[in-house]
Amino acid sequence: DISTNINGIKISSCIMNASGILCCTEKELYNLMMSSSGAVVTKSCTIKPRKGNLKPRYFEWKGGSINSMGLPNLGIDFYLNFLEKKNSKKPFLLSISGLSIEENYLILRKANISSNMNAIELNLSCPNLLEKDKILGYDFSKISDFLENLFQFYKKPLGVKLPPYFEDFHFRKMAFILNKYPIYFVTCINSLPNGICIDINKESVVIHPKKGFGGIGGLSIKPFALANVRKFYTYLRKDIPIIGCGGICTGKDVFEYILCGASAVQIGTQFLKEGIPVFDRLIKELITILKNKNYSSLNSFKGKLNVF
Ligand code: DHB
């Protein structure tokens, strides 16, 4: 049994897509809805549709991926409309990422009157906007004011997607802020911001936007992502579930995330590489590990990482 529960949202498999990956268009969302992904997370949206940054804007190598997509999306109305008319019991998480705090309020007000998503995943960590080169998740006082204001009017389930942190003090500070609010879940991590990859033949960067700098995902970031899950598992209120994301390629990786304290996981780079079959493969690999260890559910080992 690899089912899980995110604050009352029942999810039949703990493995779902990461926001941004094959979850932008009607067709992609439909394919995810029909797949064995435990839930569907939508592409982070803005008020208006966006084309995103100039291509090439995504590149992968054996160790991971770099992207600077620039938030291409079909706009909040498209996603709300998709959720209205969808015909499926599968949980949906609506990811939103306004270009400003004001835009986030506008999107949240729209979402507040719609009822067909199970929760919002508020993205506090998009690293790729040409318009503004600031990651909200790194500005602790702004985040604090923002959450204070939004929970005045937004009363529905809302989780947050965080950027990676690296310092114990930052984990404690962010957890202290989040612990004050009825946060529904925390997803960590988004891509590692401002990496660079190089093509030595062309002696050039590999993606066009932002002089080649972009968010790093995939295998290379897994140790950082696991550490973020572990730190937040330690510092967040015990009733705030954690969704882990970063570099999951195998069932063993999923097991490691749960052991660190994640209640569910999201697949980004590997989902883009492998497509919809990734979900069946990971489920099978995870179930094999649980069988070998004689665990009947995720709760048998969730968070129970041994330390010396
Ligand atoms: C984009 C990238 C992100 O990592 C994110 O959280 C949101 C949007 C993008 O470039 O489209």
Side-chain angles (χ1 to χ4, degrees):
D1 178 14
I2 57 160
S3 68
T4 188
N5 186 321
I6 304 291
N7 234 314
I9 305 174
K10 292 206 176 76
I11 301 185
S12 62
S13 156
C14 64
I15 303 164
M16 68 186 84
N17 71 295
S19 179
I21 311 306
L22 303 176
C23 60
C24 185
T25 64
E26 172 129 27
K27 180 147 194 280
E28 289 169 343
L29 290 169
Y30 180 81
N31 288 341
L32 270 167
M33 187 168 88
M34 293 308 183
S35 75
S36 54
S37 179
V40 178
V41 192
T42 62
K43 169 69 184 172
S44 291
C45 69
T46 47
I47 282 279
K48 290 196 185 133
R50 287 170 58 88
K51 287 198 161 69
N53 296 338
L54 290 177
K55 294 176 183 173
R57 58 192 187 182
Y58 183 87
F59 174 85
E60 72 181 38
W61 75 101
K62 64 182 188 316
S65 64
I66 182 168
N67 87 84
S68 184
M69 305 301 289
L71 220 38
N73 77 92
L74 298 175
I76 179 68
D77 291 339
F78 166 81
Y79 298 98
L80 289 178
N81 187 45
F82 182 92
L83 293 171
E84 285 294 295
K85 64 179 209 233
K86 81 175 161 62
N87 182 11
S88 161
K89 289 210 169 76
K90 183 171 289 195
F92 270 72
L93 305 180
L94 175 73
S95 173
I96 74 163
S97 186
L99 302 179
S100 63
I101 284 183
E102 293 314 312
E103 183 170 341
N104 278 320
Y105 291 143
L106 272 176
I107 298 171
L108 286 168
R109 283 183 203 284
K110 280 197 175 220
N112 211 6
I113 47 180
S114 169
S115 58
N116 245 353
M117 92 264 325
N118 300 79
I120 280 195
E121 184 181 82
L122 172 64
N123 185 355
L124 300 176
S125 43
C126 175
N128 297 332
L129 297 173
L130 303 170
E131 294 92 329
K132 84 178 171 67
D133 210 8
K134 265 209 142 233
I135 295 172
L136 197 53
Y138 288 143
D139 189 332
F140 294 104
S141 74
K142 250 196 190 154
I143 284 277
S144 197
D145 291 347
F146 178 38
L147 295 178
E148 182 67 32
N149 289 328
L150 85 82
F151 281 112
Q152 303 287 327
F153 71 90
Y154 195 78
K155 303 295 181 194
K156 292 191 171 164
L158 182 135
V160 294
K161 170 106 169 246
L162 299 177
Y165 301 98
F166 302 95
E167 191 172 43
D168 189 64
F169 174 70
H170 290 159
F171 289 112
R172 280 187 280 125
K173 197 161 171 149
M174 194 61 203
F176 178 79
I177 294 166
L178 296 173
N179 282 340
K180 289 193 262 189
Y181 300 101
I183 299 280
Y184 216 68
F185 61 86
V186 168
T187 303
C188 53
I189 58 177
N190 206 318
S191 50
L192 261 75
N194 287 309
I196 198 161
C197 293
I198 289 164
D199 175 338
I200 66 158
N201 289 322
K202 295 185 190 151
E203 302 182 8
S204 158
V205 297
V206 298
I207 57 171
H208 180 110
K210 293 179 75 163
K211 302 193 161 147
F213 290 93
I216 308 295
L219 196 53
S220 323
I221 76 168
K222 197 185 81 172
F224 300 102
L226 284 171
N228 275 257
V229 169
R230 190 65 189 162
K231 289 281 192 187
F232 281 115
Y233 186 74
T234 309
Y235 294 136
L236 285 173
R237 287 194 335 257
K238 280 295 166 255
D239 62 318
I240 303 180
I242 298 168
I243 304 178
C245 183
I248 293 174
C249 304
T250 65
K252 172 178 165 290
D253 299 328
V254 179
F255 188 91
E256 292 178 18
Y257 271 87
I258 312 289
L259 201 56
C260 284
S263 295
V265 297
Q266 298 179 344
I267 317 299
T269 300
Q270 189 61 30
F271 174 34
L272 190 54
K273 252 188 214 178
E274 197 173 332
I276 291 286
V278 76
F279 299 108
D280 279 334
R281 177 177 65 81
L282 292 176
I283 288 170
K284 203 172 127 221
E285 290 173 4
L286 180 60
I287 287 176
T288 301
I289 295 172
L290 298 207
K291 273 197 185 132
N292 288 338
K293 288 177 174 279
N294 268 318
Y295 288 148
S296 60
S297 74
L298 303 186
N299 280 331
S300 314
F301 62 99
K302 187 173 115 185
K304 295 181 181 167
L305 178 66
N306 291 315
V307 293
F308 291 104

